[in-house]
Each structure stands twice: as C-alpha cells, then as structure tokens.
Amino acid sequence: GAFREDLRLWVDGESEDNHATARAGARRALTKIETLRRECENLRRLELQASERMRELAAAITETNRQWKEGNMTALLAELREEERGQQTDDEDNAGSAESEIQPLWMMTVEYMGTVLQLIEEQSSAKIE
C-alpha cells in the first residue's frame, strides 16, 4: 500500500544519495506511523473502557443473583401464593387447605429464573478472566 511506497521512496532515495526524495519518503512514512500509534492508543483506551464496563456489569449481575437467592425469589413465591389464594373459591374443598400451593409451571419458572441468573453470572465472570 501507500506505506510500503513511502518506505521504498525513502530507501531508494538513500541508496541513490537523493536526500530530498529520502526525506520526503521518511516524512510520509513517519506520518503514517504516528497515525498508527494514535489509533493503537485509542484502541487500548477503548479496550480498557470495555473491560471496566464488563467488570461493572459482572458486579451488577453478581449482586442481582445474590439478591435473588437471599430474598427476591422468596418474595416472588410469596406473591404467587397470595395470588393463588385470591383465586381460590370458598368451596368446601378449598376451605380446609391451610396454604395454597403454587402451580407447578410457576414453580418451574421461578427455579429456571434462578438457574439463568446463575449461568449469566458464571459467563460474565469467565469473560473477565
């Protein structure tokens, strides 16, 4: 490409003792090298920002998973039980039940949510390392 042509101009100018041509090739090549250096610095800065954001995301996921395990799951289950109680009729069949049960589908969904949170936490931690 253009960089190769600049280097060739520089080398050819030096080998032919044409200092003006060599200087022009060197100046053009050094300009491209400086541009590359700045782009590399920008890339490194973006990589550091991305790493920091990933650490922040992983910390938020870990905290969410901790909250889920320490109480949010229990609170959701309690809400689902209340909902089931509210939907029960006052039939004689239901009058004797002390506590309503959560539908199996809801229970599986709540358990699945915990599993998904755990997997997300593990994947985000693995990406940081």
Side-chain angles (χ1 to χ4, degrees), residues 66-120:
R66 184 193 63 75
Q67 290 175 355
W68 177 257
K69 290 176 182 176
E70 290 181 358
N72 289 353
M73 181 178 73
T74 304
L76 179 59
L77 290 172
E79 286 181 37
L80 290 171
R81 282 190 185 95
E82 279 299 314
E83 183 69 24
E84 288 293 321
R85 281 190 200 120
Q87 291 180 2
Q88 287 181 346
T89 62
D90 291 331
D91 292 347
E92 293 179 1
D93 295 339
N94 294 331
S97 64
E99 186 175 323
S100 63
E101 289 296 318
I102 298 173
Q103 294 179 19
L105 179 61
W106 288 116
M107 194 64 179
M108 286 174 32
T109 302
V110 170
E111 290 171 359
Y112 183 68
M113 289 168 61
T115 302
V116 168
L117 276 173
Q118 183 65 38
L119 289 173
I120 292 171

Side-chain angles (χ1 to χ4, degrees), residues 33-76:
I33 289 173
E34 181 61 25
T35 300
L36 178 62
R37 185 192 62 75
R38 282 193 310 271
E39 289 177 3
C40 288
E41 286 176 358
N42 286 338
L43 181 59
R44 179 65 182 149
R45 183 181 45 78
L46 291 172
E47 285 176 339
L48 292 173
Q49 287 176 348
S51 293
E52 179 60 29
R53 287 187 178 142
M54 187 62 201
R55 281 190 291 278
E56 291 171 2
L57 176 62
I61 291 168
T62 298
E63 178 62 17
T64 301
N65 194 24
R66 184 193 63 75
Q67 290 175 355
W68 177 257
K69 290 176 182 176
E70 290 181 358
N72 289 353
M73 181 178 73
T74 304
L76 179 59

